[in-house]
């Protein structure tokens, strides 16, 4: 487990080089410059004036700060120049940093000088004004919308989520091995593929790197990939992007229980990092921070649903039997997760059957509009209901195999169930992680490929992994945007990625 107090990286923070004097500072670093005269480079966010006093607020990508320009304190020329500023004009401003408890950033800038880099003409003003705009308008101007404080905060948190996710694997013995994006076959179902012409042959944009990760896991033991993935279903839900980023670990000799332990430790690390580094950004976007703190807090026994979990674990003592090595690897992970603190956060784990029973009684109590049909995958309202019942992510495991992917290992205790898990984020966010133990028998995998009507020839290489030294192995995939939506508390995934690709949008 990682030392949470260690710095994120050993690389020094670099400030942009400046030819101006005094040196260029960033708004985020002003605490170290109180009383000093600094130069900031950025843009005018907004300006208010009351006669002889101007209040321009500046942003520089690291934050925003309010400047104060009394007419008497600067030259006539500088005063007029500041007064002429229009929204989003680019500027270089010099001033003295003053601590001010009333200011949202904690500081104000007594402006001494200001140069205009480019003045946005008044005849063609910046289109996004501080007034309310509709989402369609904002998405159409996404290239500008990213400049607003809320969107900038979300993108900073996204960057930390991506960095923390990689950091977790990089510091726990995983080797990053990225799969191809252009692929000859489907991984997650043939109806959801973007097809393209590969020098006369059909090829597809990858839906998941998983099958390739299985190959590199059998080469290197613990691997992960991180890259863009694509889904072509014509879905318009608030959780669906056609292009999104997925991080996918895969581990040889790991069973489903080990996979769930890994997903838990991984999510706790990510949420911990965001809480450690982004309190200010979380406040800008109005996130209820207590909800995130609850995720990493040591578990209270009544919350972990210990009966349900213990029940499903003790019922199947053989679940992790495929090999002793699998057991010890999964045990090592739990130990690692516990190493951080004696009382650890444990996420509730429910079998599909247990989840179904909860949905049934919710429907009876009028808390769900439609009944959940046993055997069906969980619908969005079902996931929303289940995930809103817990203050930690909930893991739903062992779904009916019939509704799941061809590569999932059947449960030896009940082969109608797949050894798979979906992690549902709390507060109704639904699935953020999907994973499973993979079929390790050659005969069974071949039968599954044929049953699913997949072309055997495209999967010969994948079958080789079962011909030569097959072992039980497991992994999962987490969609970064789903994680960002949950951690930032957003209604829709379109705000979680710099430029969203959705059913109706490929511009800008
Ligand atoms: O559950 P999925 O489809 O699982 C897989 O692709 C496995 N092959 C992963 C693995 O085991 N290595 O997708 C995994 C995750 C989902 O839980 C969700 O977070 C995200 O990818 N995801 C999407 N995110 C945004 N838009 C979409 N259309 C998504 N589809 C899946
Ligand atoms: Mg899934």
């Amino acid at each position: 487990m990682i030392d949470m107090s260690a710095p994120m990286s050993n690389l020094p923070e670099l400030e942009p080089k400046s030819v101006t004097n005094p040196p260029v500072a960033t708004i985020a670093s002003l605490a170290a410059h109180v009383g000093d005269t600094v130069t900031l480079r950025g843009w005018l966010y907004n300006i208010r004036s009351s006669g002889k006093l101007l209040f321009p607020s500046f942003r520089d990508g690291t934050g925003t700060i309010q400047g104060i320009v009394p007419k008497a304190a600067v030259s006539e020329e500088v005063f007029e120049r500041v007064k002429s500023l229009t929204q989003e004009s680019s500027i270089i401003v010099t001033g003295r940093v003053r601590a001010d408890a009333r200011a949202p950033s904690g500081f104000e800038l007594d402006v001494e000088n200001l140069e205009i880099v480019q003045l946005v003409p008044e005849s063609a003003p910046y289109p996004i004004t501080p007034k309310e705009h509709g989402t369609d308008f904002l998405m159409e101007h996404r290239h500008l919308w990213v400049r607003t404080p809320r969107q900038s905060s979300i993108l900073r948190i996204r960057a930390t989520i991506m960095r923390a996710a990689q950091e977790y694997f990089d510091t726990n013995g995983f080797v990053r091995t990225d799969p191809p994006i252009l692929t000859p076959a489907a991984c997650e179902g043939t109806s959801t593929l973007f097809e393209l012409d590969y020098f006369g042959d059909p090829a597809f944009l990858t839906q998941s790197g998983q099958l390739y990760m299985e190959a590199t896991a059998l080469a290197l033991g613990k691997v992960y990939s991180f890259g863009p993935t694509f889904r072509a279903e014509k879905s318009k839900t608030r959780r669906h992007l056609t292009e999104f980023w997925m991080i996918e670990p895969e581990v040889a000799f790991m069973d489903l229980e080990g996979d769930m332990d890994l997903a838990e430790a991984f999510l706790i690390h990510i949420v911990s990092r965001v809480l450690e580094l982004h309190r200010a950004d979380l406040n800008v976007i109005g996130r209820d921070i207590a909800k995130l703190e609850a995720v990493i807090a040591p578990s209270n026994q009544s919350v972990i649903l210990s009966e349900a979990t213990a029940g499903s674990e003790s019922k199947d003592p053989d679940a992790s039997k495929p090999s002793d090595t699998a057991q010890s690897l999964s045990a090592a992970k739990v130990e690692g997760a516990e190493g951080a603190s004696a009382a650890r956060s444990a996420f509730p784990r429910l079998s599909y059957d247990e989840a179904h029973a909860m949905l049934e009684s919710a429907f009876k109590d009028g808390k769900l509009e439609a009944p959940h049909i046993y055997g069906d995958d969980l619908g969005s309202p079902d996931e929303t209901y289940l995930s809103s019942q817990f203050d930690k992510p909930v893991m739903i495991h062992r779904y009916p195999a019939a509704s799941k992917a061809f590569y999932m290992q059947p449960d030896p205790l009940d082969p109608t169930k797949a050894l798979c898990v979906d992690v549902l984020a709390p507060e109704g966010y639904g699935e953020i992680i999907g994973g499973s133990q993979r079929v390790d028998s050659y005969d069974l995998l071949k039968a599954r490929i044929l049953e699913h009507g997949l072309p055997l020839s495209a999967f010969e290489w994948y079958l080789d992994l079962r011909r030569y030294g097959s072992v039980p192995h497991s992994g999962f995939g987490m969609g970064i945007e789903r994680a960002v939506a949950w951690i930032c508390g957003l209604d829709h995934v379109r705000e979680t990625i710099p430029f969203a690709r959705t059913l109706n949008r490929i511009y800008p």
Side-chain angles (χ1 to χ4, degrees):
M1 191 62 183
I2 309 171
D3 173 6
M4 301 292 283
S5 60
M8 286 281 281
S9 99
N10 297 323
L11 296 175
E13 287 263 337
L14 293 181
E15 297 236 314
K17 283 221 171 60
S18 164
V19 289
T20 57
N21 191 23
V24 170
T26 59
I27 292 172
S29 71
L30 290 185
H33 294 288
V34 176
D36 298 345
T37 293
V38 298
T39 294
L40 299 170
R41 296 191 291 204
W43 297 263
L44 181 92
Y45 179 58
N46 205 355
I47 187 164
R48 287 187 296 120
S49 85
S50 65
K52 295 188 157 78
L53 212 49
L54 303 175
F55 299 101
S57 70
F58 303 109
R59 59 167 201 90
D60 74 344
T62 73
T64 56
I65 186 169
Q66 174 161 286
I68 306 216
V69 195
K71 198 169 168 65
V74 294
S75 67
E76 177 75 26
E77 201 189 340
V78 168
F79 189 83
E80 288 307 317
R81 211 181 287 152
V82 174
K83 204 174 162 188
S84 76
L85 287 176
T86 43
Q87 199 189 343
E88 287 303 317
S89 290
S90 40
I91 50 92
I92 297 175
V93 60
T94 301
R96 237 174 112 87
V97 181
R98 190 163 30 76
D100 185 329
R102 290 161 308 170
S105 68
F107 308 99
E108 283 189 339
L109 192 72
D110 290 323
V111 173
E112 292 166 6
N113 197 2
L114 179 134
E115 285 168 46
I116 295 175
V117 179
Q118 188 245 338
L119 186 69
V120 176
E122 256 176 86
S123 55
Y126 185 71
I128 302 179
T129 58
K131 73 166 183 151
E132 289 276 303
H133 293 281
T135 309
D136 278 347
F137 178 87
L138 292 169
M139 286 304 287
E140 198 66 15
H141 294 85
R142 181 63 176 168
H143 51 296
L144 302 177
W145 190 23
V146 289
R147 298 183 186 192
T148 53
R150 176 185 164 81
Q151 297 303 317
S152 296
S153 288
I154 293 169
L155 293 181
R156 273 193 288 270
I157 294 170
R158 171 189 170 91
T160 289
I161 290 172
M162 296 177 102
R163 183 155 63 145
Q166 296 171 75
E167 178 185 53
Y168 181 84
F169 295 129
D170 288 341
T171 52
N172 279 284
F174 287 71
V175 180
R176 178 168 173 169
T177 58
D178 289 325
I181 288 170
L182 295 172
T183 59
C187 174
E188 295 297 320
T190 45
S191 60
T192 62
L193 285 162
F194 283 108
E195 188 171 343
L196 45 93
D197 173 12
Y198 195 73
F199 307 114
D201 283 329
F204 309 96
L205 294 178
T206 186
Q207 296 163 308
S208 157
Q210 179 197 320
L211 307 188
Y212 294 97
M213 291 303 98
E214 292 183 51
T216 56
L218 298 197
L220 296 155
K222 300 204 276 183
V223 297
Y224 77 99
S225 68
F226 195 13
T229 44
F230 304 85
R231 302 284 166 104
E233 59 259 57
K234 295 200 162 142
S235 164
K236 277 194 191 169
T237 71
R238 62 190 179 86
R239 297 173 185 175
H240 185 86
L241 291 169
T242 52
E243 175 182 322
F244 62 98
W245 284 67
M246 194 173 357
I247 189 159
E248 297 180 87
E250 191 74 28
V251 181
F253 295 105
M254 184 172 74
D255 60 15
L256 178 66
E257 309 310 315
D259 208 23
M260 293 198 272
D261 294 342
L262 180 63
E264 182 179 287
F266 169 72
L267 287 174
I268 288 169
H269 178 70
I270 292 171
V271 173
S272 301
R273 276 296 191 218
V274 171
L275 284 169
E276 182 189 346
L277 299 170
H278 291 285
R279 302 245 160 199
D281 284 317
L282 291 167
N283 284 328
V284 167
I285 59 182
R287 181 65 167 119
D288 181 349
I289 290 175
K291 294 266 201 290
L292 296 177
E293 284 168 336
V295 170
I296 60 167
S299 298
N300 137 3
Q301 285 310 307
S302 65
V303 171
I304 356 179
L305 274 196
S306 46
E307 317 83 69
T309 317
S312 65
E313 267 165 12
S314 59
K315 258 185 271 148
D316 52 14
D318 289 348
S320 47
K321 209 179 188 178
S323 87
D324 289 339
T325 330
Q327 275 226 336
S328 60
L329 204 138
S330 126
K333 295 211 155 299
V334 179
E335 207 180 278
E338 272 170 349
S341 64
R344 74 189 174 94
S345 169
F347 298 169
R349 297 180 188 188
L350 292 176
S351 68
Y352 174 91
D353 286 2
E354 288 161 339
H356 173 74
M358 275 181 77
L359 294 171
E360 257 193 332
S361 64
F363 177 65
K364 275 195 202 114
D365 297 347
K367 293 178 191 152
L368 269 177
E369 275 178 27
H372 174 252
I373 311 294
Y374 186 85
D376 282 3
D377 217 341
L378 299 178
S380 234
D382 302 326
E383 283 189 1
T384 302
Y385 175 78
L386 289 170
S387 67
S388 61
Q389 300 308 298
F390 304 95
D391 61 359
K392 292 177 186 288
V394 53
M395 305 202 184
I396 314 286
H397 55 85
R398 295 179 170 81
Y399 284 62
S403 65
K404 288 289 177 180
F406 74 96
Y407 53 70
M408 291 180 180
Q409 176 79 14
D411 185 347
L413 292 182
D414 174 2
T416 67
K417 300 281 167 43
L419 292 179
C420 64
V421 61
D422 279 358
V423 182
L424 312 183
E427 302 170 69
Y429 275 92
E431 180 195 336
I432 52 169
I433 285 182
S436 66
Q437 188 170 328
R438 324 304 190 186
V439 171
D440 53 54
S441 140
Y442 172 85
D443 291 332
L444 180 59
L445 185 61
K446 186 174 171 186
R448 282 287 168 81
I449 291 170
L450 294 172
E451 271 166 38
H452 280 76
L454 296 167
L456 210 49
S457 60
F459 289 96
E460 281 303 336
W461 72 267
Y462 188 58
L463 283 162
D464 272 352
L465 308 179
R466 279 73 181 170
R467 286 186 182 105
Y468 307 115
S470 188
V471 297
H473 60 286
S474 306
F476 63 76
M478 181 179 83
I480 292 295
E481 293 73 20
R482 298 263 184 100
V484 174
W486 158 51
I487 290 172
C488 292
L490 309 177
D491 292 341
H492 200 291
V493 286
R494 68 186 154 222
E495 282 182 63
T496 64
I497 184 165
F499 295 94
R501 293 290 169 254
T502 55
L503 185 53
N504 296 317
R505 179 162 300 286
I506 196 168
Y507 175 94

